[in-house]
Amino acid sequence: MKKVILVRHGNCHEATGQLDDEGRAQIEILVEILRAHLNGRSVRMLSSTAARAVQSAEIIARRLAVEFERNESLKYGLDDDLQKVWDLIKDDGHEVAVLVAHKETAEFFPEFLRRKYLPDLPSFDGRGRVQTGMAVVIDPEASTVDLL
């Protein structure tokens, strides 16, 4: 079973939705932390279509030399959208899925997976805990959910 890393986009300008300097710095720092979790594994990266998520994904992709796909289902964190994302990544042949998304997806996806597919995962209440530029790592083999 693959590892799933949910990245909440970096801090952004409220008026434009574009990453600000702090947001770019947050993602640059996070990339270095993510390297240890990727450790030469094959990666598939998906990003929400919102500008702040795409800009975050561009930084990650450039620094890790991976490509990413834009996906509208990462935008809202609703169960139907989370199901679509899971259907895309669950059997795609990659060892790690990196999902660059928003607060709701980062907070709700771990519980969605635990409820529907991975009952051995510990409960994860991410509400209010997943700040911009942070990530949630779901490791089904180790039955862990960690906040980075």
Side-chain angles (χ1 to χ4, degrees):
M1 181 66 63
K2 76 171 60 226
K3 185 182 281 192
V4 178
I5 300 175
L6 298 152
V7 174
R8 183 173 173 193
H9 60 76
N11 199 55
C12 63
H13 295 284
E14 197 168 312
T16 65
Q18 304 287 316
L19 282 185
D20 59 23
D21 290 340
E22 178 185 357
R24 283 187 285 281
Q26 289 171 328
I27 298 302
E28 291 283 351
I29 291 167
L30 183 61
V31 167
E32 294 310 312
I33 296 167
L34 292 178
R35 283 185 197 281
H37 290 276
L38 301 178
N39 198 24
R41 295 181 174 109
S42 64
V43 175
R44 181 177 187 186
M45 186 163 64
L46 302 175
S47 171
S48 162
T49 56
R52 58 195 174 272
V54 170
Q55 291 167 342
S56 297
E58 287 170 344
I59 293 168
I60 296 166
R62 183 178 67 251
R63 295 285 305 279
L64 297 177
V66 298
E67 295 188 16
F68 73 95
E69 307 161 48
R70 291 170 175 86
N71 189 291
E72 188 73 23
S73 295
L74 286 166
K75 213 167 185 180
Y76 303 110
L78 303 172
D79 271 10
D80 287 349
D81 292 330
L82 300 179
Q83 184 64 57
K84 289 175 189 172
V85 171
W86 180 244
D87 290 343
L88 276 175
I89 65 171
K90 67 180 176 186
D91 296 319
D92 67 1
H94 293 86
E95 297 169 286
V96 180
V98 176
L99 309 175
V100 183
H102 307 276
K103 177 182 178 182
E104 296 79 12
T105 302
E107 290 179 347
F108 300 141
F109 201 62
E111 276 303 297
F112 168 82
L113 289 179
R114 187 184 68 78
R115 276 193 340 263
K116 295 199 77 164
Y117 302 104
L118 304 170
D120 292 336
L121 281 180
S123 182
F124 178 78
D125 183 2
R127 290 175 292 189
R129 293 179 52 210
V130 186
Q131 303 299 313
T132 56
M134 295 178 79
V136 177
V137 179
I138 303 167
D139 187 342
E141 290 180 9
S143 293
T144 58
V145 179
D146 295 310
L147 186 60
L148 302 178

